[in-house]
Amino acid sequence: MSSTVELTKENFDQTVTENEFVLIDFWAAWCGPCRMFAPVYEKAAEANPDLVFGKVDTEAQPELAQAFGIQSIPTLMIVRDQVAVFAQPGALPEAALTDVIGQARKLDMDEVRKSIAEQQGSAQGE
């Protein structure tokens, strides 16, 4: 059984809203690097059962790919408390994926939200 969730425009918002930590793999069946990254992503999902690992098929869900400005695949995105805290194109090796998950786990989301509010405040003030 797969430990990843297929994300669609129908369940995406609910998944991201109801889970405080969601990893999203934007991929497509024709993409060689995506297919190489899939088992690495699956293994990380099995190793982190407390997190939600989602996959967005950019061919089947072009609206989601467009909404997030996905230019190349695979792209990994991490959303914590409905804030995208990480987004990077390219197939990550297993050690790098483990490291990124560890860093995202350690983030102080109050600090992240404060930083975003400050950035938005300064952007509006100009």
Side-chain angles (χ1 to χ4, degrees):
M1 186 186 113
S2 173
S3 36
T4 59
V5 180
E6 186 66 38
L7 295 176
T8 66
K9 60 182 189 281
E10 287 76 24
N11 72 353
F12 187 90
D13 288 342
Q14 182 180 4
T15 302
V16 171
T17 304
E18 292 179 357
N19 298 281
E20 76 174 50
F21 198 125
V22 183
L23 294 92
I24 306 161
D25 174 22
F26 290 89
W27 70 285
W30 52 262
C31 162
C34 298
R35 289 196 306 272
M36 287 175 13
F37 181 58
V40 173
Y41 191 70
E42 192 71 39
K43 191 171 177 185
E46 289 165 11
N48 295 277
D50 58 319
L51 307 181
V52 175
F53 283 73
K55 291 177 78 72
V56 173
D57 181 343
T58 57
E59 292 291 301
Q61 303 296 325
E63 302 91 345
L64 285 177
Q66 193 174 2
F68 288 96
I70 303 301
Q71 301 290 320
S72 62
I73 51 174
T75 289
L76 176 69
M77 183 176 287
I78 299 177
V79 179
R80 280 200 55 195
D81 299 341
Q82 299 162 46
V83 176
V85 296
F86 178 86
Q88 180 178 315
L92 294 173
E94 188 175 340
L97 179 57
T98 301
D99 184 50
V100 164
I101 292 169
Q103 288 180 41
R105 281 185 184 274
K106 290 181 196 145
L107 285 174
D108 179 334
M109 289 310 294
D110 290 333
E111 285 296 315
V112 170
R113 279 190 286 275
K114 188 173 149 197
S115 170
I116 291 169
E118 287 169 0
Q119 288 172 359
Q120 289 173 341
S122 65
Q124 292 167 349
E126 290 175 23

